Amino acid sequence: MVANDSFQPTEVELQMLRILWDLGPSPVRDIHSHLNASKGTNYSTTVKMLSVMLDKGLVRRDETVSPHIYRPAFTRQSAGKRLMKDLVEKVYDGATMSLVLHAIKSMKASPQELSEVRRLLDEMEGKK
Amino acid sequence: MVANDSFQPTEVELQMLRILWDLGPSPVRDIHSHLNASKGTNYSTTVKMLSVMLDKGLVRRDETVSPHIYRPAFTRQSAGKRLMKDLVEKVYDGATMSLVLHAIKSMKASPQELSEVRRLLDEMEGKK
DNA sequence: ATTAATTGGCGAAAACTTTCGCTAATTGGG
DNA sequence: CCCAATTAGCGAAAGTTTTCGCCAATTAAT
């Protein structure tokens, strides 16, 4: 049971995290080339963002090697889960189900995907 | 098929929208008393936020009556849908299904709710 | 070694969000 | 009508996020 002050990476921070999730642990240069490609920011900006994110605990840094290597402080999954929880909280007053229904409705799921959801439902009921 | 520049109400804006969704169309005073209750802001702040939100198109205002009446520019549902889409975009690279699975896993759904999801799945397959 | 190129970081500017003081306009009661 | 109370709004302060210029440190090349 951990304290849960809502987790809020900013826009760019999230963009950066996504790059890291896609690339895996990387030096600034690589991260920058992706960020720059998508929004033309300066190298210094990328370095700074990473240092801000390091302060906030959003990324980790390995300084024993050079160039330094950055990695996300958590997985895409756990970030998604926390962000979703916040969203549900803020929009639906905590009613996760509403959200799920909307998600399902708005996606164009393949039959396999649908059956995967179904499988999960069965599993949950089984456990009950 | 409408253009979709990612929709980003800020923290307080969302809080305000939530109040409006809960209350329905309301005058500033009512909105304020709720906002103030939850975070002790000044009346002026509420008025200002609403005018900023009006500029951004997040709320509508009926000026023919007095006090003016504010209403959200869209439903809780559609906001939820857009925010979710953004989230999925930013975190999962568009893979909605991942999100749904996480949502389902992380919620403590009642049997009724689960069967509602199941019903929806059937419906979707039926339509296919 | 000395120089050139790459990498790392500070501090402050620019941009945006959130706050409120103060004033103007509107309303309701006497 | 006039006054008090409520409502609306402007403009600027305070707080955050995002940006970058400039310099220091590290690495690589001659």
Side-chain angles (χ1 to χ4, degrees), chain B residues 29 43 48 61 68:
Chain B
R29 180 139 306 274
Y43 179 85
K48 179 62 162 191
R61 172 168 71 191
H68 298 176

Side-chain angles (χ1 to χ4, degrees), chain A residues 28-29 43-44 47-48 61 68:
Chain A
V28 180
R29 180 140 306 274
Y43 180 84
S44 300
V47 173
K48 180 60 162 192
R61 171 167 72 190
H68 299 175

Side-chain angles (χ1 to χ4, degrees), chain B residues 69-103:
Chain B
I69 296 293
Y70 287 84
R71 78 189 63 240
F74 36 73
T75 64
R76 188 191 292 260
Q77 267 73 27
S78 70
K81 197 167 166 182
R82 281 162 92 182
L83 288 169
M84 232 208 20
K85 199 169 174 188
D86 278 6
L87 186 105
V88 168
E89 216 50 69
K90 284 185 296 197
V91 176
Y92 294 94
D93 260 305
T96 305
M97 183 52 75
S98 288
L99 186 84
V100 174
L101 292 177
H102 274 293

